[in-house]
Amino acid sequence: ITLRSSFAVWDGYGSVGEYLALGMAKAGARLDLVPLVYEPRGLTNELLELIAKSQPQAGAPTLHFGPPPPDLGVFGSDNVFVNTMWEGSLLPASWVEPLNQVRAVIVPTRFVERVCRDSGVVAPPVGLG
């Protein structure tokens, strides 16, 4: 699995991306990490080692942790999942089309699922809180 995420302790997604990567690795997933934002200061040695040995494979299933990028072609795979979150009552309009093009949208709570649905996202939700 290719995991695209920010890895920086000062960044919202980046501060959680480390825990997502380490949790998946400890659960047995074979991960190749693609840092979107990377600041090694403050990250664990375990994560730094995962990043150093990563060799992303074209076409591999991809989990993108963060806001959806406007161009899904950057993934090099049709097997794309987006794990994201939002705190307002509607998503930015620019998020809806990219989220509707992925295999599934992973959200942390039923509130975020409802926000996605109310905003026009029809991709199936996965891993609801």
Side-chain angles (χ1 to χ4, degrees):
I1 298 170
T2 299
L3 173 60
R4 295 171 42 95
S5 178
S6 294
F7 298 107
V9 297
W10 47 262
D11 177 69
Y13 281 105
S15 63
V16 178
E18 177 171 8
Y19 297 107
L20 176 61
L22 294 177
M24 291 177 71
K26 288 178 182 179
R30 190 204 169 294
L31 292 176
D32 288 305
L33 304 181
V34 176
L36 303 174
V37 173
Y38 179 61
E39 173 53 60
R41 290 179 294 181
L43 300 176
T44 63
N45 287 335
E46 188 176 4
L47 182 74
L48 297 173
E49 289 172 20
L50 280 173
I51 292 171
K53 72 177 187 177
S54 290
Q55 297 179 358
Q57 304 297 311
T62 299
L63 173 58
H64 174 83
F65 181 59
D71 177 15
L72 296 177
V74 301
F75 295 118
S77 172
D78 293 332
N79 202 8
V80 176
F81 300 80
V82 171
N83 183 336
T84 194
M85 57 193 95
W86 190 252
E87 297 170 353
S89 60
L90 288 174
L91 297 175
S94 62
W95 284 33
V96 176
E97 183 180 343
L99 289 177
N100 280 331
Q101 294 177 24
V102 300
R103 184 157 178 196
V105 178
I106 301 167
V107 296
T109 65
R110 296 201 185 281
F111 169 78
V112 180
E113 177 193 14
R114 189 171 55 252
V115 167
C116 287
R117 295 283 178 238
D118 291 348
S119 298
V121 175
V122 295
V126 176
L128 299 174

